[in-house]
Amino acid sequence: MALLLPVIAPAQDRGPADNNFVKDNFDKQDVYIPMRDGKKLYTVIYTPKDNSHPYPFLMERTPYSAGPYGDTLYRRSLGPNKDLLHEKYIFVYQDVRGRYMSEGEFQEMTPHKEGKKSSKETDESSDTWDTIDWLLKNIKNNNGRVGLWGVSYPGFYASASLPDAHPAIRAVSPQAPVTDEFIGDDANHNGAFFLLDNFDFDNYFDVKRPVPVKDYGHTIFKADIRDAYQFFLDLGPLNNANGPAYFNNQGKIWNEYMGNPTNGEYWRARNIRTHLKNIRPAVLVVGGWFDAEDMFGALRTYEAIERQSPHNDNHLLMGPWTHGAWGAAGWTKFGPLDFGQNVNDYYHIIETKFFDHYLKDSAADALPEATVSKTVASGSASAAESFR
């Protein structure tokens, strides 16, 4: 689970607030939003109490829970950074189809469906469209603009909103987005199965959900892994992971992985890169040079948009981070490397400018095409000087 902590850490920011800023400044409502096929997705909406002027939406769609659930329970913070929290947006969190409190069946990396969708055809682009259409019509005091962000798996959902995007979407930030799970992200790296990561992740993520739940509450199996090398050596052939002590054929995604050892239709259908064509919203792709899971996704998402949507307002930001570490309050060191300052301060300024520029018409200048860390350790440089 240590591999997942940078992604899951924001989920710990739930429950009764230990400070009252969010509760004092935002009204909260939990709603079910209907999709075109009749399924309803659980959505949590935080609206600024100050209604003196309209606000844009800033939304995260996630398989990791939109909670806490219930109108009286608030997150301690909102949005991807505290600067944006104080800028005030209408913040929206949504459980994606088939996860936690949303209806429907979950699909691993939902394949995108090209062309006009009938009432029975849905994907993440259509679910995002239907959600935004409902929000614009039912949430008062909005300015008609929407931004999306997400890190890792939620980064995929941000990317998946881009093809056939709702016209209200003006800015999207896929961050360490899961993009091509066979070639470079998470499940496989250049076709090599990412054993430790998948074994651990699917143990909790692949738990069955007969009905919507607020908490999955358990893992598929218990494993005391003190020496990972010895554990997997003793496990023997990979098929043994489906023995009674472990997955026992209870892991749907695990079985899909096991049944698709080559880059066939299963993986190709889940490669969002091929659908990043004619993209209209501005994009800020974020990644980390020390990300062992999805550095490929960040670089290749930016590349795919550049090649297939050459007129898009597309931006890349890469820094000295592990998986999702730019979302932390501070990032001054990594292993033996001492950066000499909190590089996240500069990143949060850039991220805030991006959304403010496109969603609020702020006076902030547009971002450079690429902002990339030029040094991994510099005790004298400022945070801004560490990027170029």
Side-chain angles (χ1 to χ4, degrees):
M1 291 299 289
L3 294 169
L4 301 170
L5 287 177
V7 178
I8 295 176
Q12 297 169 350
D13 202 18
R14 298 180 179 141
D18 58 359
N19 63 65
N20 292 321
F21 182 84
V22 173
K23 193 168 186 177
D24 289 346
N25 289 277
F26 291 85
D27 293 320
K28 177 179 184 258
Q29 56 180 313
D30 292 28
V31 300
Y32 269 111
I33 297 180
M35 300 294 104
R36 62 190 63 185
D37 65 344
K39 299 299 182 183
K40 298 177 181 178
L41 304 190
Y42 200 97
T43 309
V44 182
I45 306 163
Y46 295 85
T47 307
K49 292 180 183 289
D50 177 6
N51 59 7
S52 60
H53 58 275
Y55 297 96
F57 294 101
L58 195 51
M59 179 165 64
E60 180 190 54
R61 304 186 66 244
T62 179
Y64 298 131
S65 172
Y69 302 104
D71 292 347
T72 63
L73 298 177
Y74 285 68
R75 288 181 175 234
R76 297 192 188 102
S77 187
L78 301 172
N81 71 63
K82 288 188 176 180
D83 292 342
L84 283 163
L85 166 64
H86 290 275
E87 284 284 313
K88 291 187 181 176
Y89 283 74
I90 302 172
F91 292 101
V92 179
Y93 295 86
Q94 184 177 72
D95 288 335
V96 296
R97 182 180 291 256
R99 292 292 294 176
Y100 284 87
M101 290 294 288
S102 282
E103 297 177 353
E105 295 298 322
F106 178 79
Q107 289 191 72
E108 168 74 349
M109 294 282 290
T110 312
H112 179 75
K113 298 175 182 177
E114 294 278 7
K116 185 174 177 61
K117 302 168 183 67
S118 72
S119 60
K120 293 184 179 180
E121 286 186 305
T122 65
D123 58 17
E124 300 309 331
S125 175
S126 73
D127 281 355
T128 306
W129 178 294
D130 293 347
T131 298
I132 290 171
D133 206 53
W134 188 95
L135 291 169
L136 293 171
K137 294 174 181 176
N138 290 276
I139 302 301
K140 297 179 180 179
N141 212 39
N142 74 77
N143 74 353
R145 300 184 184 186
V146 180
L148 292 100
W149 93 97
V151 182
S152 194
Y153 214 149
F156 159 74
Y157 293 104
S159 294
S161 74
L162 290 168
D164 308 318
H166 192 289
I169 300 177
R170 302 295 184 87
V172 177
S173 184
Q175 303 179 7
V178 184
T179 301
D180 185 334
E181 285 194 301
F182 190 85
I183 300 299
D185 291 320
D186 295 274
N188 301 274
H189 284 202
N190 289 320
F193 190 61
F194 218 24
L195 175 57
L196 175 61
D197 201 21
N198 291 315
F199 188 86
D200 194 46
F201 180 78
D202 286 349
N203 184 26
Y204 107 88
F205 194 77
D206 228 353
V207 171
K208 291 183 178 180
R209 189 204 72 156
V211 295
V213 294
K214 294 181 179 179
D215 185 354
Y216 283 76
H218 63 283
T219 56
I220 296 176
F221 58 84
K222 302 294 183 183
D224 184 11
I225 305 178
R226 301 184 185 185
D227 182 332
Y229 182 85
Q230 190 62 49
F231 175 85
F232 288 108
L233 191 65
D234 294 341
L235 180 65
L238 192 55
N239 285 341
N240 291 347
N242 249 332
Y246 303 113
F247 283 102
N248 198 25
N249 285 306
Q250 298 301 304
K252 177 179 179 292
I253 298 171
W254 179 267
N255 284 343
E256 290 174 357
Y257 286 179
M258 294 299 97
N260 292 278
T262 59
N263 194 18
E265 179 56 29
Y266 176 84
W267 299 109
R268 290 197 296 269
R270 287 160 174 77
N271 175 14
I272 192 65
R273 284 188 293 165
T274 60
H275 304 289
L276 298 176
K277 306 170 186 175
N278 304 314
I279 301 304
R280 296 186 300 271
V283 180
L284 173 62
V285 184
V286 181
W289 294 123
F290 302 122
D291 184 352
E293 295 179 64
D294 296 302
M295 184 177 75
F296 176 98
L299 294 172
R300 298 308 182 183
T301 295
Y302 170 79
E303 177 189 52
I305 295 173
E306 284 293 292
R307 288 184 174 180
Q308 299 172 155
S309 302
H311 301 296
N312 180 260
D313 192 359
N314 186 29
H315 306 270
L316 175 69
L317 199 159
M318 296 291 295
W321 297 297
T322 55
H323 191 59
W326 50 87
W331 191 254
T332 60
K333 297 179 180 180
F334 175 59
L337 302 177
D338 187 337
F339 307 127
Q341 70 275 313
N342 181 8
V343 296
N344 284 7
D345 285 342
Y346 180 66
Y347 167 72
H348 293 158
I349 291 171
I350 295 295
E351 184 178 45
T352 300
K353 283 182 177 180
F354 172 72
F355 285 115
D356 281 355
H357 180 79
Y358 295 101
L359 302 181
K360 290 188 172 184
D361 288 330
S362 75
D365 293 335
L367 300 184
E369 177 77 13
T371 305
V372 181
S373 61
K374 63 183 179 180
T375 177
V376 295
S378 176
S380 59
S382 68
E385 290 170 338
S386 295
F387 290 83
R388 63 182 173 192

